Amino acid sequence: MVRARVKSVTASCCRCGEVSDRRHGWYLRRLQDVAVSGCALVLELKVRRFRCVSSSCPVKTFTEQVQGLTRPHARQTTSLRNLLSEIGLALAGRPGARMAATLGIEVGRDTLLRLVRAIPDLPAGQVRVLGVDDFAIRRGHNYGTIMIDLETGRPVDLIDGRDGDALAAWLRSRPLPEVICRDRAGGYAEGARQGAPDAVQVADRFHLWRNLGQAVEKDVSAARTGLAAALAAAAESRRASDAPKMVNHRELKVVARIRQHHAAVHELLDQGLSKAAIGRQLGLHRATVRKFANATVEEVTAANQQRASILDGYHEHLHRRWNEGIRNATQLTREITALGYRGTAQQVQRYLRRFRPAGTSEVEIPPPRPPAVRDITRWIMSHPDDLDQEATSRLEETQRLSQELRRLTGHVKDFAVMLTQLEGHRLDGWITLVEKDSLTAIAGFARNLRRDYNAVRNGLSMPYSSGPVEGHVNRVKMLKRQMFGRAKLDLLRKRTLHAS
């Protein structure tokens, strides 16, 4: 406890500012202050009341305040309040209360959150280059929009909603930006057009590259069937012409089940049943029925048949040893472990289980398995200098065996040059070339670029990017997890805007 009093003989009125020396009374005021050496500190201050000397002032008496130390009705000093506000911004409620306790300050978690909410907003200034993106307040239910000043990298505001109307209303309430960098969502494009019609809209390169990657993965998945056939033909040509005919192993259960459901769905569709009725009769979700109805059986089974396995690269050895009469999974596991296998014996046993019904029959030695869809996509989407020698050679082999993948790689390379060298003037020619190709997914991606052509061309020509926006979105996710269920938008907004 530190006891103190004010030495000055006058004080200024809190309402009109007139200086008065007419004392009316005094009382003791206790203020909690910053701890000293881990010990709590309470300041017992003798304060006086004065009479206001101005006849026009509505205040008759007032209490003297010490600048930088006291505020009306406050039970904490200004320095302690600032310290607790910083703790609340950094750690929120419960963690902040625990940290304050280690500093010798007793404070409740709700008090810390109230201090954070009471922090005044920064003055709204001119933002010349604005970055916009959405974030999840509650994933799948509520979303918000974050605005970032791309020149300073600082967050500007968080608002509720991610539609165009919310963005347009926010833009009209502030000085309009000159450039708006956004993703390719139609809502933000319309909102920016309505709220800031003179601003230059820029489609972010990160989102363009990600959308291209999604299209590439679809085309790779479609071309992988032809690649598997080419590998099988090459393996067959190397195989001896007098090799005995062997028995294929049974199909995976999940693939067989998908084939049965697909056939049943199309049979009931031919009978005139609706998709909802088919779902009720077969016990399938309506989305599954819709997927089976709109695709061939090869398309719906491709994901399961092309799924990567830890046994990839060891199938030929297992099949050959099976034909030689070695049927023990433990022994086969030891053999392929010596070749580099890192899985378990149970995985080998589950794989060999499909051969058991064949009895002593020999099984067909499989051709080399084509690389996984994601691996091929990663090789195509990566810079050649970032690939190791093995990945480079395998990519070259896939391009040699598949004309589709060779053309696809060329299109991606041309787009990457535009994106990295900011050569947006080549966009129209690239779109025209890709649209004429038979690669369905990337051709659809190219056609979709025409709907937002100006923003896409600006994104491939101007240096602005939403990288800082994505970084702040990740920080918002961290703050949400830190506050658990208390991460309401007002509190989340304060911590995002003011936490350093």
Side-chain angles (χ1 to χ4, degrees):
M1 178 80 69
V2 174
R3 295 179 174 87
R5 64 181 179 85
V6 182
K7 294 179 62 176
S8 64
V9 297
T10 60
S12 298
C13 177
C14 59
R15 181 64 64 86
C16 65
E18 290 289 336
V19 178
S20 174
D21 59 355
R22 299 175 57 186
R23 285 181 293 176
H24 177 68
W26 63 272
Y27 65 94
L28 292 178
R29 183 177 181 181
R30 289 183 175 86
L31 300 169
Q32 187 180 5
D33 202 357
V34 179
V36 177
S37 299
C39 298
L41 175 61
V42 176
L43 179 62
E44 187 179 80
L45 184 64
K46 182 179 179 180
V47 296
R48 298 164 294 179
R49 295 190 65 85
F50 288 83
R51 295 182 182 275
C52 185
V53 298
S54 176
S55 58
S56 60
C57 182
V59 174
K60 300 304 179 183
T61 63
F62 62 89
T63 302
E64 62 182 347
Q65 303 292 336
V66 181
Q67 186 177 3
L69 182 66
T70 66
R71 293 180 303 105
H73 312 294
R75 297 185 179 182
Q76 299 168 338
T77 62
T78 304
S79 57
L80 177 60
R81 183 183 178 89
N82 294 337
L83 175 62
L84 294 179
S85 298
E86 291 297 328
I87 293 176
L89 283 174
L91 300 175
R94 287 184 177 88
R98 290 195 295 268
M99 174 59 72
T102 62
L103 299 176
I105 305 171
E106 293 185 6
V107 63
R109 60 181 185 271
D110 293 328
T111 301
L112 287 175
L113 297 183
R114 283 196 296 269
L115 290 174
V116 172
R117 285 189 167 100
I119 298 176
D121 287 339
L122 298 174
Q126 173 69 37
V127 178
R128 196 179 69 86
V129 183
L130 179 69
V132 179
D133 203 356
D134 65 316
F135 67 95
I137 300 174
R138 184 185 175 195
R139 188 174 181 86
H141 295 82
N142 300 327
Y143 288 85
T145 300
I146 184 171
M147 286 78 167
I148 304 296
D149 186 345
L150 293 182
E151 290 186 317
T152 62
R154 299 288 299 178
V156 178
D157 204 353
L158 273 73
I159 61 174
D160 190 13
R162 58 174 179 177
D163 56 350
D165 294 337
L167 176 60
W170 185 88
L171 289 172
R172 296 189 191 102
S173 65
R174 300 174 59 94
L176 297 180
E178 300 177 7
V179 179
I180 299 178
C181 188
R182 55 169 178 83
D183 59 16
R184 297 180 59 219
Y188 286 150
E190 183 63 21
R193 186 189 64 80
Q194 294 179 3
D198 296 331
V200 177
Q201 297 191 34
V202 177
D204 178 55
R205 292 189 295 277
F206 166 78
H207 293 90
L208 289 172
W209 188 252
R210 185 176 65 176
N211 297 149
L212 176 64
Q214 294 169 349
V216 169
E217 185 171 358
K218 293 179 182 178
D219 281 331
V220 169
S221 179
R224 192 175 184 272
T225 303
L227 180 61
L231 289 173
E236 186 67 25
S237 63
R238 292 193 299 265
R239 193 173 299 169
S241 58
D242 57 347
K245 182 65 176 178
M246 299 180 184
V247 179
N248 288 319
H249 59 78
R250 61 177 178 174
E251 194 172 47
L252 291 174
K253 291 182 179 180
V254 62
V255 176
R257 186 169 62 249
I258 291 176
R259 290 185 185 275
Q260 294 174 1
H261 287 161
H262 184 273
V265 167
H266 280 269
E267 181 180 354
L268 295 176
L269 283 173
D270 294 339
Q271 297 176 10
L273 272 69
S274 65
K275 294 183 178 65
I278 295 174
R280 289 192 297 268
Q281 182 170 339
L282 299 180
L284 300 176
H285 193 274
R286 58 181 179 273
T288 304
V289 176
R290 186 166 57 249
K291 180 179 68 173
F292 288 165
N294 299 331
T296 64
V297 65
E298 289 77 13
E299 292 174 345
V300 295
T301 59
N304 296 92
Q305 294 177 336
Q306 298 174 4
R307 184 175 298 169
S309 169
I310 195 172
L311 288 169
D312 288 348
Y314 307 104
H315 294 108
E316 182 178 358
H317 180 87
L318 293 176
H319 286 230
R320 186 176 66 253
R321 295 292 286 164
W322 178 276
N323 294 337
E324 293 173 359
I326 307 301
R327 311 294 169 84
N328 186 275
T330 303
Q331 179 179 347
L332 293 174
T333 302
R334 287 195 296 265
E335 293 180 4
I336 63 176
T337 299
L339 300 177
Y341 173 67
R342 296 185 180 181
T344 63
Q346 287 76 12
Q347 291 168 308
V348 177
Q349 186 175 12
R350 283 196 297 269
Y351 180 76
L352 296 178
R353 193 177 300 160
R354 69 187 69 181
F355 302 154
R356 303 293 181 187
T360 58
S361 301
E362 292 185 338
V363 296
E364 182 181 3
I365 298 178
R369 187 183 178 95
V373 172
R374 290 191 176 182
D375 288 338
I376 301 177
T377 304
R378 176 172 55 84
W379 299 337
I380 294 176
M381 299 295 293
S382 298
H383 193 281
D385 296 340
D386 296 335
L387 297 177
D388 55 25
Q389 185 176 0
E390 180 183 2
T392 301
S393 61
R394 298 190 70 181
L395 177 60
E396 292 175 353
E397 182 183 6
T398 58
Q399 293 177 358
R400 179 177 58 83
L401 296 174
S402 174
Q403 296 182 0
E404 291 82 1
L405 294 181
R406 183 165 59 251
R407 298 198 308 272
L408 182 63
T409 304
H411 295 325
V412 172
K413 182 179 179 180
D414 293 340
F415 192 88
V417 172
M418 282 193 300
L419 187 142
T420 56
Q421 302 298 326
L422 299 181
E423 298 178 355
H425 60 278
R426 297 173 49 190
L427 178 62
D428 189 67
W430 184 87
I431 293 176
T432 303
L433 177 64
V434 174
E435 284 178 333
K436 297 178 181 179
D437 206 314
S438 60
L439 299 169
T440 306
I442 194 172
F445 166 77
R447 284 191 296 271
N448 188 263
L449 294 182
R450 293 195 182 277
R451 302 178 184 177
D452 201 17
Y453 180 82
N454 291 332
V456 172
R457 178 165 180 170
N458 292 333
L460 297 176
S461 305
M462 304 177 73
Y464 305 115
S465 171
S466 291
V469 184
E470 297 294 336
H472 281 284
V473 169
N474 288 334
R475 189 163 71 93
V476 168
K477 295 178 182 178
M478 182 271 293
L479 295 176
K480 281 173 46 187
R481 296 186 184 102
Q482 199 179 56
M483 292 187 292
F484 300 101
R486 310 190 72 147
K488 293 184 179 179
L489 184 59
D490 62 333
L491 183 59
L492 188 61
R493 177 178 177 274
K494 291 291 184 180
R495 293 197 63 195
T496 303
L497 298 183
H498 296 277
S500 59

